[in-house]
Amino acid sequence: MVKTVVCVGLPIDEKLFIQKNRLAPESVTGKEKRITIVTGTHGDELDGQYVCYQLINKINQNQGKLKGIVDVYPALNPLGIDSVSRGIPMFELDMNRIFPGSRDAAMTENVAADIIEDIMGSDLCVDIHSSNVFLKETLQVRISNENEKKLLPYAKLLNTNLIWIHESVTVLEATLGHSLNSMRVPTLVVEMGVGMRITKEYGDHLVDGIFRLMVELGIWEEESIPIKAPIIATKDEVKVIHAQHAGVFVKEIEHNDWIREGEIIGNIINGLTGEIEEVITAPSDGIVFTLREYPIVYTGSLIARIVGGATK
Amino acid sequence: MRKETIYSLKAPYRDALRVSGYRFGKGDKAACIVGAIRGNEIQQLYICSQLIKALTELEKKGAIVNNNEILVIPSVNHYSMNIGKRFWALDNTDINRMFPGNMEGETTQRIAAGVFEKVQGYSYGIQFASFYMPGDFVPHVRMMETGYQSASLANLFGLPYVVVRKPTPFDMSTLNYNWQQWKTNAFSIYTNETDVIDEVSARQAVSAVLRFLTRMGIIRYNSHGGYIANIINENDLTLVRNKDAGIYRRIKLPGEEVHRGDILAEIMNPYEGEVISQVIAPTDGIIFFSHKSPLVNENEIVYKIIRRLHE
Ligand SMILES: [Zn+2]
């Protein structure tokens, strides 16, 4: 059943709606477990659209297997999604920096507070992101090290290629994921693919993973859903490569390739002089789980992340 | 006056980004003043230009007190300003959310790190800042409550109000917050405008900085006394919301005195022109902030009022 979570009047003849679809068994006892799937905080990240569609469609076709409640919020930033804008269009504001929101602040923070309030009480939340237009990411779960113990067992069921356990960062405290985790709704933040595109293969894998997780929580009944074991990486195992020169990055490998130390990842070229400004090589063996997609780079632009030590 | 490039960054095809610093006097690092960090902070750039002009005159007259060095950085992100953008043009990140920066990190983290290295170690740090939501303020000095802040020092600018704000995680990557963490007394100065130049409040801001530098013994300058500031905690401001969305007509302006029940603004039906609701003052006081855009969403904060305490 589609419900409106937030409704705010815009200046001229339009309302901002944030909606969710609640899927529940035919008869409800009130003791059901509840999983929440959210996406679209960043308007340019679209993989979640496909995942929400597949998830709802499969549940609707196998209604008898549903034993708990599934809440799907496909568009937390509807103005952004419908207008190719990563942030909230009017303010260029990153919506994932205003949680948990506030009742004593601007409208956007009120909206954030309404969203949190609506999600509270869920037994688990999956927050789906699609990198940005600059970087292609493998299907992964990102966990802040303070939540490792609580989240890792769930994360392993999501059928991703990687679980990245990173250090906690102060600015990330204002994300939806952090806010929910600190309010005792275990939340798994998924990153995959590239902004403005849908990587169907990753979406299909994640849908299987969400069903596997729902089986574990007693929300879904199914004999066996095969999932693969992810690489689990901590900070020391991830090598980050930034451009040292400005120019145009052209990759020499494919995303997700396994490469050896010293192998060329790509070149930063100069379209005016015909010269190579910088040859970018792998600092260690490993899988290139992040690779630059958008060619224009400045000094500092992220080129690749490699999870070291992993073998093919 | 000595001009130098304090940070530069090459682009694929554009001219290099050069962050320029102007130094006055020699000796101990006394005060550092930073202007536009966002591409729409034209007023902030303008104020710095007027300040550099004034300090150049004062230095010629020998009015910089011995053993004091002042650094002014009028603009950090003119790369965005030149092309009509507010944030870093490639990835839309806000340099004022990247401090203290990281020399090994992303581009805007490197810019922040490059600037921060040069602005550190000063006794006083002053930034001409803008708010992330659009609207007008009464000119004021803003400080973050970090445990290192000193509201009595902020009073020496002689602006009518000093606002103390409790930092949220969102604030902890600003220049102001990081200055304080590195033991610089940091102040942000807000004037009426951002995207356009307001001469009156720009002059007020330049005078405020010169007055402060005089009172701290850094320059010799005949300044007028200015105001004795009211020190306000941001949480104590009374927030006033509008009910309806529509066309917004502002009636009361920042700095004006209002009484409980006064009409602050009207909201009109955008098609039919009728007034559909009024924004009413819930208390006696002075307007600190007002929404300015001619359009308004439902339930926005359109006014902030400094409540008047009745004796
Ligand atoms: Zn995202």
Side-chain angles (χ1 to χ4, degrees):
Chain A
M1 189 180 30
V2 174
K3 288 183 183 173
T4 297
V5 177
V6 171
C7 173
V8 183
L10 297 179
I12 304 133
D13 204 4
E14 183 186 352
K15 285 192 162 57
L16 160 67
F17 291 118
I18 300 175
Q19 294 181 303
K20 71 169 175 185
N21 194 345
R22 168 161 287 191
L23 302 131
E26 289 201 344
S27 59
V28 184
T29 64
K31 287 179 184 159
E32 283 79 9
K33 294 268 186 184
R34 178 173 143 207
I35 189 171
T36 292
I37 313 296
V38 293
T39 193
T41 318
H42 292 135
D44 61 350
E45 301 180 10
L46 304 174
D47 284 296
Q49 299 306 311
Y50 176 70
V51 173
C52 290
Y53 157 77
Q54 282 291 0
L55 188 69
I56 295 169
N57 194 270
K58 284 191 176 172
I59 291 171
N60 283 340
Q61 286 181 18
N62 300 275
Q63 178 68 31
K65 293 181 180 176
L66 186 62
K67 303 295 166 197
I69 292 166
V70 183
D71 278 342
V72 183
Y73 301 68
L76 291 188
N77 176 11
L79 299 178
I81 292 178
D82 285 8
S83 63
V84 208
S85 162
R86 182 172 179 81
I88 299 172
M90 310 89 112
F91 314 104
E92 292 183 84
L93 191 67
D94 184 340
M95 194 178 179
N96 214 19
R97 297 287 180 275
I98 58 170
F99 288 99
S102 163
R103 298 282 170 213
D104 298 325
M107 179 269 277
T108 46
E109 289 183 58
N110 269 296
V111 168
D114 288 341
I115 291 167
I116 292 271
E117 200 178 287
D118 203 66
I119 295 172
M120 288 304 286
S122 298
D123 296 285
L124 198 87
C125 178
V126 181
D127 180 13
I128 304 168
H129 290 258
S130 292
S131 183
N132 51 41
V133 296
F134 304 105
L135 303 167
K136 185 160 195 178
E137 294 282 0
T138 199
L139 178 57
Q140 62 195 276
V141 185
R142 288 191 189 162
I143 296 175
S144 161
N145 53 9
E146 67 206 11
N147 296 321
E148 180 182 346
K149 229 179 168 166
K150 183 174 64 179
L151 297 181
L152 193 58
Y154 295 123
K156 283 178 177 171
L157 299 174
L158 264 184
N159 199 30
T160 62
N161 299 331
L162 173 73
I163 296 172
W164 182 9
I165 299 158
H166 61 82
E167 308 254 308
S168 51
V169 186
T170 311
V171 284
L172 296 184
E173 284 176 19
T175 62
L176 176 63
H178 181 95
S179 300
L180 287 172
N181 274 312
S182 56
M183 296 164 118
R184 291 199 212 94
V185 177
T187 299
L188 299 168
V189 177
V190 176
E191 281 284 357
M192 65 167 128
V194 63
M196 294 192 185
R197 298 286 180 270
I198 287 175
T199 309
K200 199 158 161 279
E201 177 201 345
Y202 287 161
D204 289 329
H205 290 182
L206 182 62
V207 170
D208 288 346
I210 293 172
F211 277 108
R212 179 65 188 81
L213 196 57
M214 281 161 51
V215 170
E216 192 71 17
L217 292 168
I219 294 173
W220 190 250
E221 245 176 28
E222 191 150 341
E223 281 300 300
S224 74
I225 300 168
I227 51 162
K228 65 180 150 207
I231 298 168
I232 298 171
T234 54
K235 184 182 174 257
D236 301 338
E237 291 155 341
V238 173
K239 295 272 188 302
V240 183
I241 304 155
H242 294 272
Q244 301 304 332
H245 291 82
V248 183
F249 173 73
V250 181
K251 66 183 179 184
E252 290 293 325
I253 56 163
E254 289 306 315
H255 177 243
N256 255 338
D257 276 358
W258 189 87
I259 61 168
R260 287 201 173 281
E261 183 180 339
E263 237 179 279
I264 295 174
I265 294 172
N267 296 305
I268 297 175
I269 57 169
N270 185 322
L272 181 66
T273 63
E275 304 278 329
I276 290 177
E277 298 285 344
E278 185 182 351
V279 179
I280 294 167
T281 56
S284 63
D285 295 1
I287 287 175
V288 183
F289 72 92
T290 306
L291 184 61
R292 189 157 190 97
E293 182 81 9
Y294 190 78
I296 298 300
V297 296
Y298 286 78
T299 306
S301 294
L302 188 61
I303 298 291
R305 293 192 194 100
I306 297 177
V307 53
T311 49
K312 203 165 193 175
Chain B
M1 181 265 282
R2 288 155 288 144
K3 183 186 175 187
E4 62 185 77
T5 300
I6 65 153
Y7 184 80
S8 73
L9 179 86
K10 280 190 186 156
Y13 290 107
R14 287 179 74 174
D15 193 2
L17 169 71
R18 288 173 295 272
V19 179
S20 297
Y22 288 79
R23 289 185 201 276
F24 301 90
K26 281 199 173 102
D28 287 349
K29 291 179 161 191
C32 177
I33 296 131
V34 176
I37 298 185
R38 294 176 180 151
N40 64 331
E41 292 176 343
I42 297 165
Q43 166 87 340
Q44 288 72 7
L45 170 72
Y46 178 72
I47 295 168
C48 272
S49 72
Q50 296 305 300
L51 187 63
I52 287 169
K53 189 169 157 234
L55 288 171
T56 304
E57 290 295 313
L58 288 167
E59 192 174 42
K60 274 185 199 153
K61 287 193 269 181
I64 314 274
V65 175
N66 270 345
N67 200 29
N68 281 290
E69 190 231 277
I70 304 163
L71 171 65
V72 186
I73 299 172
S75 171
V76 175
N77 192 8
H78 36 286
Y79 238 42
S80 297
M81 197 177 279
N82 283 336
I83 57 171
K85 296 209 171 188
R86 187 175 174 208
F87 298 131
W88 186 245
L90 191 71
D91 61 7
N92 221 28
T93 51
D94 182 358
I95 298 173
N96 201 28
R97 294 279 182 257
M98 292 293 163
F99 288 95
N102 176 1
M103 280 298 186
E104 305 292 307
E106 276 282 341
T107 310
T108 45
Q109 291 175 317
R110 291 183 191 213
I111 297 169
V115 171
F116 197 61
E117 190 190 312
K118 297 293 167 69
V119 303
Q120 263 186 73
Y122 287 85
S123 300
Y124 308 104
I126 302 162
Q127 185 194 352
F128 297 111
S130 70
F131 197 49
Y132 75 95
M133 293 300 225
D136 286 355
F137 288 101
V138 73
H140 68 280
V141 183
R142 188 175 279 246
M143 318 185 67
M144 278 197 238
E145 201 182 304
T146 54
Y148 305 117
Q149 88 283 359
S150 165
S152 54
L153 281 182
N155 210 338
L156 301 180
F157 285 93
L159 286 173
Y161 300 100
V162 172
V163 177
V164 181
R165 171 182 167 87
K166 218 180 174 66
T168 63
F170 194 64
D171 294 310
M172 290 178 187
S173 45
T174 59
L175 173 59
N176 186 307
Y177 185 86
N178 284 281
W179 251 339
Q180 292 196 46
Q181 294 300 309
W182 268 263
K183 306 287 188 289
T184 289
N185 283 294
F187 311 94
S188 298
I189 296 184
Y190 288 75
T191 63
N192 297 42
E193 287 293 351
T194 300
D195 311 67
V196 297
I197 292 169
D198 176 61
E199 294 274 1
V200 175
S201 70
R203 269 199 295 277
Q204 199 179 4
V206 171
S207 301
V209 172
L210 294 176
R211 186 183 296 123
F212 180 83
L213 296 177
T214 304
R215 288 172 171 178
M216 299 325 293
I218 298 166
I219 62 171
R220 281 181 290 267
Y221 174 71
N222 259 342
S223 59
H224 298 284
Y227 297 84
I228 294 168
N230 283 304
I231 297 166
I232 307 158
N233 198 310
E234 197 178 41
N235 293 331
D236 295 338
L237 293 168
T238 300
L239 308 180
V240 189
R241 292 179 185 275
N242 60 306
K243 193 165 140 274
D244 299 297
I247 288 180
Y248 169 87
R249 179 194 279 154
R250 179 164 78 160
I251 296 169
K252 296 288 183 183
L253 301 174
E256 280 191 70
E257 190 175 339
V258 294
H259 296 285
R260 187 192 163 120
D262 283 356
I263 300 166
L264 302 176
E266 293 174 330
I267 316 292
M268 295 187 301
N269 179 308
Y271 291 161
E272 295 157 21
E274 295 289 336
V275 172
I276 45 178
S277 59
Q278 292 171 324
V279 179
I280 307 286
T283 176
D284 291 359
I286 307 284
I287 306 285
F288 177 74
F289 165 85
S290 79
H291 179 88
K292 192 185 184 189
S293 155
L295 298 178
V296 71
N297 297 314
E298 179 188 339
N299 200 33
E300 284 286 11
I301 293 170
V302 285
Y303 280 88
K304 294 183 185 179
I305 298 178
I306 303 161
R307 215 172 3 217
R308 214 223 324 266
L309 302 168
H310 293 274
E311 281 97 49

